[in-house]
Amino acid sequence: MADDRKLPSGSGKRWTRRLLGVTAVAATGLVLVVVGSNVRLWMVSAGHRFGPDAAPTVPVVIVPGAKVGPDGAPMAYLRGRLDVAIELLESGKAREILVSGDAAGTSGDEIASMTQYLVEHGVDPALVRSDGEGLSTRATCERAKRLFGIDRAIIVSQYRHVPRAVALCRAEGIDADGVTADCDCRRTTLIRNNIREWLAAPKAIAALIGR
């Protein structure tokens, strides 16, 4: 027979309140972790973030990959990074460029796209090195050090990404500074990428702690 017994009056409301309380505590904890991680990344990268004009002179500029368009050309986010890399090369603040990304990405070959863009904008192909397995910022930094022997570099990215990129590269033993790139992007693109960066911070901090 089915059990027709009912919970005492008011017990359902009490459990609902408890559940809401636990959920609120968990959400607050998550927010604190995300905010704290972002603050920590900004602290770690303090003194190592510059605009293109104030950038130090280094042997190499690292350009992390990003989404490419249906035609294979870099989209606005990636173009902003590449344009800064070209500027640094032309101003004599770097001698070569390392493009690092996913050569088999879901949106296309990031390496081929970046290399073609650089060459089309006057960069000597001999000055471009490539890593088609830089599948994350951490992988880009780790491989730049291990496979390419890079000890000193600038890593170019957008404002919100630079602190994480600098912190991860420095954790890999690269004396890295970050240079901020602009993005002639839609507002929705900026919001989406900023949210992504905020949420990526705890993983980056965990990687720093685990070293």
Side-chain angles (χ1 to χ4, degrees), residues 28-147:
T28 300
L30 177 60
V31 170
L32 290 175
V33 168
V34 171
V35 172
S37 297
N38 277 275
V39 170
R40 181 59 180 166
L41 290 178
W42 281 85
M43 291 173 63
V44 170
S45 63
H48 299 288
R49 302 186 305 270
F50 302 93
D53 293 340
T57 299
V58 299
V60 60
V61 178
I62 301 171
V63 183
K67 189 175 181 179
V68 302
D71 59 354
M75 297 189 72
Y77 219 65
L78 187 52
R79 286 199 307 272
R81 299 175 184 179
L82 293 167
D83 288 341
V84 169
I86 293 169
E87 181 180 345
L88 294 172
L89 201 68
E90 291 178 343
S91 67
K93 292 189 174 183
R95 297 194 298 270
E96 61 182 358
I97 299 171
L98 171 64
V99 292
S100 179
D102 190 348
T106 55
S107 66
D109 187 338
E110 296 173 4
I111 299 302
S113 178
M114 289 190 282
T115 301
Q116 182 176 345
Y117 184 90
L118 291 171
V119 172
E120 288 176 349
H121 286 77
V123 176
D124 183 346
L127 302 180
V128 181
R129 293 197 282 174
S130 61
D131 177 10
E133 295 185 26
L135 307 184
S136 66
T137 304
R138 184 182 182 185
T140 287
C141 296
E142 186 272 331
R143 292 171 64 83
K145 175 69 174 181
R146 178 170 56 87
L147 298 181

Side-chain angles (χ1 to χ4, degrees), residues 115-189:
T115 301
Q116 182 176 345
Y117 184 90
L118 291 171
V119 172
E120 288 176 349
H121 286 77
V123 176
D124 183 346
L127 302 180
V128 181
R129 293 197 282 174
S130 61
D131 177 10
E133 295 185 26
L135 307 184
S136 66
T137 304
R138 184 182 182 185
T140 287
C141 296
E142 186 272 331
R143 292 171 64 83
K145 175 69 174 181
R146 178 170 56 87
L147 298 181
F148 295 88
I150 294 173
D151 297 311
R152 178 80 176 105
I154 282 172
I155 186 162
V156 176
S157 193
Q158 276 69 29
Y159 177 80
R160 186 62 65 184
H161 182 219
V162 164
R164 181 164 67 95
V166 169
L168 288 171
C169 276
R170 296 187 73 82
E172 295 295 339
I174 299 174
D175 182 11
D177 292 308
V179 171
T180 303
D182 291 327
C183 179
D184 185 19
C185 303
R186 295 177 299 176
R187 184 177 179 84
T188 53
T189 299

